[in-house]
Every structure is written in C-alpha cells, then in structure tokens.
Amino acid sequence: DKVTRAKVKRLQLGSPCSFCAEVSRGFPAFGFRCLRREMAQESAKGKESDHTKETKTDMAEDVAWPNEAWSDVAREIFHQLNAGTEGGGWKRYPGFLRTGDRRLFSRNVTEKGKGFEFAGFTNKKEQRATAVCQFGPYLEGGPGNVHGGAVATILDAVMGYCAIEALGEFAMTANLNINYKSAVRLGSTVMLHAKVDRIQDRKCYISAYVTSADGSNTLCEATSIFIRPSPEKLEHIKKDMYSDMPFDLVTESLSKKHKL
C-alpha cells in the first residue's frame, strides 16, 4: 500500500546528515526509522525459497542474500530494502563468493558471518545506492571495533555501484576521502547511502555516508571520484579480471545495458 511504499522509500534514501565541506548537499531530508518487524517478515515470505532457484551452481552462489549468520536487524533491513525492488526502480546487486587462488576482497571469507555480510541496492534513474552490512569478527581493528579499512572497503563497494550505474560500465576508484566520526562495533549492522553528485567526461563524483542500523548515528562520511577506463584499458581489465570467475552469471543478474 501507499504507507508501506513510503516507509521503504525513506529507508532507501536514508536520513539527513551533515556532510563535510566538499560534499554537495544533495540528500533529501527524509527521516529514517526502522519499520515494523511484521513488515519485514511479510516481505520475506517466499523469498528464501525463490533465492535458491537463482543459484545455478555452488561456485556461483549469490551471497548478497541473508544466511543463518545474519542478525535479525540485518535480515529485517534487507527484506525492507528488497521490497523496494518490486516495481520501485531499485534493483539488488548480486554478490559472488570466490574460493580459488584469486578472491574478491569483500567476498573472500567462506565462513558465514565472519567477514563482510552485505547486500547493495541501486537506483539507476536516481543515481543512488543503498546497502546493509554486518561486520564479522575477522574484521577487527581496535579491540572490539571494526577496522577502518574494512569500513572503507564497503564504502568503496557501494560507491562503486553508483559509479557503474552512472557511467554504464566498469569504473575504478581514483580518489576516496573518509571522515570517521564514530567507531563501528564488531558484529554491528550499518546502513550505507551513496549518490552521484556529478559526472564530468569519464569521471564520476560521488558522496556517501554510513549510519547505525536505526539511522540515529552517522558513523562516517565520504567522497570519491571514479573513472571509466578507456576502451583499450577496459579490454585489458576484462581479460585479466574475469578469466577465472563466472562473469556470465554476473552479467545475467545485472542490466543488459551494462556492458562490463
């Protein structure tokens, strides 16, 4: 109904926060509040069984989906965000676990719940990305806290989703600036929000921020510049990067317009 859609919209867009000086003030002033657990459970009905049908092989299992290690909070937020993919202009980004000699940094821990447990959602028209992430015990920095590099990793990933949507193909990080405002506790769940500020030729300027699960605390703010490689460099990147991974399954999950 209209009320439910409005609540999901607020969750997707996040809460207002104070950005550092170089970040454009582009986020709408929507308040953030967790939705009722009943809504999350309702949106989750049938989804777990549907997800198993998406997986074609064990090697290509889409892990950007709740598993038994996800907390109730992380699972609830995921299903609220996933509800927005049903005709709302948002889509879920797939994530694939690689177990060979070469592994994607954010998806390289095979033990569920020990590393990054996250799922991202993008809106091409609005040039935004939103994600929920639960940090496992293998990501410790200071005692009991998540390593700042682990937070940067997820920020880079979510901002990269934005860049790919905006530039229409593969994009690489050229600059990433982060202002850490508060420590992130191990085992906690956070929300990430990113948006494209502007596009200049092959460059995409993006701002983002991370909040606690309920949106009450802004944990860090960031800006970045992503660059679309030249056609020549892109061909070399594809030959090197995708030779040992099920990239055909990745591209099937993304829009056909994205010629990665």
Side-chain angles (χ1 to χ4, degrees), residues 20-127:
C20 47
E22 65 269 23
V23 183
S24 63
R25 299 179 182 276
F27 286 91
F30 283 96
F32 179 103
R33 62 193 180 103
C34 284
L35 310 187
R36 293 178 295 109
R37 186 171 305 279
E38 289 80 3
M39 175 192 164
Q41 293 173 338
E42 181 178 351
S43 68
K45 288 181 180 179
K47 297 297 183 180
E48 302 293 347
S49 59
D50 290 344
H51 170 60
T52 58
K53 298 176 183 177
E54 294 178 3
T55 303
K56 295 187 177 181
T57 68
D58 292 336
M59 288 182 61
E61 179 184 0
D62 186 351
V63 294
W65 197 273
N67 58 55
E68 62 271 18
W70 283 45
S71 67
D72 289 342
V73 172
R75 187 181 295 270
E76 177 181 354
I77 293 174
F78 171 88
H79 287 302
Q80 291 164 8
L81 290 172
N82 198 52
T85 63
E86 300 174 0
W90 290 78
K91 70 178 180 182
R92 182 180 64 86
Y93 239 74
F96 297 92
L97 181 66
R98 298 170 64 189
T99 58
D101 293 335
R102 297 169 55 200
R103 303 188 182 192
L104 188 64
F105 186 64
S106 59
R107 299 285 190 189
N108 64 1
V109 179
T110 57
E111 297 179 71
K112 295 179 179 179
K114 300 298 185 180
F116 300 98
E117 294 289 350
F118 72 101
F121 298 80
T122 60
N123 188 307
K124 183 175 179 64
K125 182 178 179 180
E126 298 183 8
Q127 295 186 326

Side-chain angles (χ1 to χ4, degrees), residues 133-160:
C133 179
Q134 176 181 304
F135 294 98
Y138 289 179
L139 305 175
E140 187 173 41
N145 294 324
V146 178
H147 194 288
V151 177
T153 295
I154 295 302
L155 266 171
D156 182 64
V158 176
M159 296 170 95

Side-chain angles (χ1 to χ4, degrees), residues 160-179:
Y161 296 162
C162 257
I164 291 175
E165 291 289 347
L167 297 175
E169 53 189 320
F170 188 82
M172 301 182 71
T173 311
N175 178 273
L176 177 61
N177 294 307
I178 303 175
N179 290 331

